[in-house]
Amino acid sequence: MIMKGYVIAGANKAEWRDFPVPKINPYGALIKTEIVSPCTTDIHLLQTGCASIPHLVGKAMGHEMVGTVQEVGSAVKNFKPGDRVVVSACQPNFRSMEAQAGMPKLNNTSQYWIDDPDRGGSFIEQYYLLDADMNLAHIPDSVTMEQAIMVPDMVSTAFEGVRELEIKYGDTVVMLGVGPVGLMGVCAAVLKGAGRVFVIGSRKVCFDVAKEYGATDFIDYHDGDFVKKILELNGGPVDGVLVSGGSSSSITEALNLVKRGGIVSNVTAFFADENTVLSNVAWGYGYSEKTIKAVECTGGRWILEKFLSLVEYGRLQPEKLITHRFHGMGKIEDAVQLFIDHDRSLIKPIVYFD
């Protein structure tokens, strides 16, 4: 059997190719793709021809998807054909020593970390997952697939980054970058008990959604020194900063914003910069007790189903991120082009495979 996938064929070159449907392992599953959503990581890989992850050349793009179980391996216990599922973007190996040590995501089985000839990304008609019971999540009946598609990366990345901020009730935090991950960071910070929430960006569409999610202050970085402005408005440094956009210089900006003993949690991949240079002044010459954390998206069934529970019971409305909807898998090209064109009306696009 043959299926189609949208692959990176070189720098700024993507195309549709035919792939054989793989034979799954006993723990694995085949998922019929229902909805996908491109993100900035996909665009970076496309524009550079996968320079940072060369084994992805010729494989399907994408890592955000929801779908319907088509087939499961003989050892799968918790899923069956017909189940609506979220596919984990980060796919921890829960049968690893890292998992036993309490850090399963450090052994990641997603296509970005392991070169498996049978597996690429989610922009494909049927996605092959190595371990269904560990890295699929049931979508509750009352949760739509549009809501669920934001969970595997946007929610998972932002909520993990905010968890690492160790927010206490009433803390003041900054979202440095208020794209889709930063917006989910606003939600997570408010749920964690933050008081004042600053967001830094420039697009009205993002500020409008940030306000709905509970942000209190909106700073356009085009309007001058945003670090100075926040320090003035807050009467001093903030408790924590989530870096969810910008360049590697954002780390120094975050260090200038955060108090002594505060935390900077970074969830941005700085693909464009070989080195990150920190200001010793901002870092307090190395003895400010400021912590910088490099945070990867979390994954796995347990945490994804917790996030879906927040959606189920109305605590989280991730569908507000969706600004563009396309129908037909061939429309992936149109969704990707929105990022390339820097469309200012864009937060997140989704593509139905119908």
Side-chain angles (χ1 to χ4, degrees):
M1 294 181 64
I2 299 298
M3 58 185 178
K4 290 191 176 296
Y6 192 61
V7 310
I8 296 174
N12 293 304
K13 184 179 180 182
E15 61 190 27
W16 290 94
R17 290 185 184 175
D18 291 336
F19 293 90
V21 176
K23 182 179 179 180
I24 63 176
N25 74 74
Y27 295 104
L30 277 177
I31 313 300
K32 179 181 181 293
T33 306
E34 303 286 356
I35 306 177
V36 299
S37 182
C39 88
T40 53
T41 299
D42 301 317
I43 308 311
H44 164 78
L45 292 169
L46 172 60
Q47 293 178 328
T48 63
C50 300
S52 55
I53 315 177
H55 70 252
L56 291 180
V57 174
K59 294 185 178 180
M61 297 170 61
H63 54 271
E64 298 178 54
M65 68 169 288
V66 292
T68 306
V69 176
Q70 289 284 93
E71 179 185 349
V72 297
S74 58
V76 175
K77 298 178 180 179
N78 301 119
F79 295 88
K80 65 184 185 304
D83 286 350
R84 298 189 316 149
V85 292
V86 170
V87 177
S88 190
C90 170
Q91 296 171 14
N93 180 1
F94 289 97
R95 306 172 197 274
S96 67
M97 297 300 289
E98 289 84 355
Q100 292 185 40
M103 288 293 286
K105 68 180 178 179
L106 297 184
N107 189 320
N108 191 327
T109 66
S110 76
Q111 68 270 16
Y112 296 102
W113 291 99
I114 64 171
D115 186 5
D116 184 327
D118 290 329
R119 299 176 67 247
S122 59
F123 296 175
I124 198 163
E125 290 182 281
Q126 294 187 71
Y127 182 84
Y128 174 30
L129 186 80
L130 293 177
D131 197 333
D133 285 334
M134 297 295 103
N135 281 305
L136 288 179
H138 289 286
I139 301 175
D141 290 342
S142 62
V143 175
T144 69
M145 283 194 167
E146 283 202 1
Q147 293 174 306
I149 185 63
M150 295 295 109
V151 169
D153 187 3
M154 299 301 98
V155 173
S156 296
T157 297
F159 276 58
E160 181 74 348
V162 168
R163 184 185 68 82
E164 292 286 2
L165 285 178
E166 302 175 18
I167 291 172
K168 298 177 177 61
Y169 296 124
D171 275 359
T172 297
V173 297
V174 172
M175 301 295 144
L176 207 170
V178 68
V181 172
L183 288 167
M184 287 294 92
V186 173
C187 292
V190 170
L191 284 169
K192 281 284 191 179
R196 196 171 193 179
V197 180
F198 289 90
V199 294
I200 302 169
S202 67
R203 290 183 291 152
K204 182 178 184 299
V205 64
C206 296
F207 283 160
D208 287 347
V209 176
K211 186 174 183 179
E212 291 185 49
Y213 284 154
T216 56
D217 296 79
F218 309 87
I219 310 296
D220 189 327
Y221 59 81
H222 291 119
D223 294 341
D225 187 340
F226 65 82
V227 172
K228 180 179 179 181
K229 186 170 184 177
I230 290 173
L231 293 176
E232 289 174 350
L233 288 170
N234 194 54
V238 302
D239 297 294
V241 179
L242 181 74
V243 179
S244 55
S247 66
S248 59
S249 64
S250 299
I251 302 298
T252 286
E253 292 164 340
L255 286 171
N256 277 317
L257 282 166
V258 78
K259 70 182 183 182
R260 285 174 55 85
I263 297 172
V264 173
S265 178
N266 176 69
V267 294
T268 297
F270 301 122
F271 290 118
D273 301 321
E274 184 175 346
N275 297 299
T276 297
V277 179
L278 300 180
S279 162
N280 265 331
V281 175
W283 195 29
Y285 300 96
Y287 57 89
S288 62
E289 298 289 336
K290 296 180 182 181
T291 300
I292 305 171
K293 298 183 179 182
V295 182
E296 184 182 6
C297 172
T298 192
R301 178 184 172 194
W302 182 84
I303 191 63
L304 292 182
E305 291 187 353
K306 291 289 187 182
F307 294 148
L308 288 162
S309 178
L310 291 175
V311 179
E312 181 181 14
Y313 293 105
R315 307 296 187 189
L316 177 62
Q317 298 84 35
E319 69 276 10
K320 293 181 180 181
L321 299 180
I322 301 170
T323 52
H324 296 72
R325 294 168 174 84
F326 299 90
H327 288 268
M329 67 181 186
K331 294 293 186 179
I332 284 177
E333 299 170 54
D334 294 337
V336 167
Q337 193 63 41
L338 291 170
F339 290 92
I340 295 171
D341 293 342
H342 301 287
D343 190 308
R344 290 185 64 80
S345 68
L346 175 67
I347 300 179
K348 282 289 284 184
I350 61 171
V351 181
Y352 282 84
F353 270 43
D354 54 11

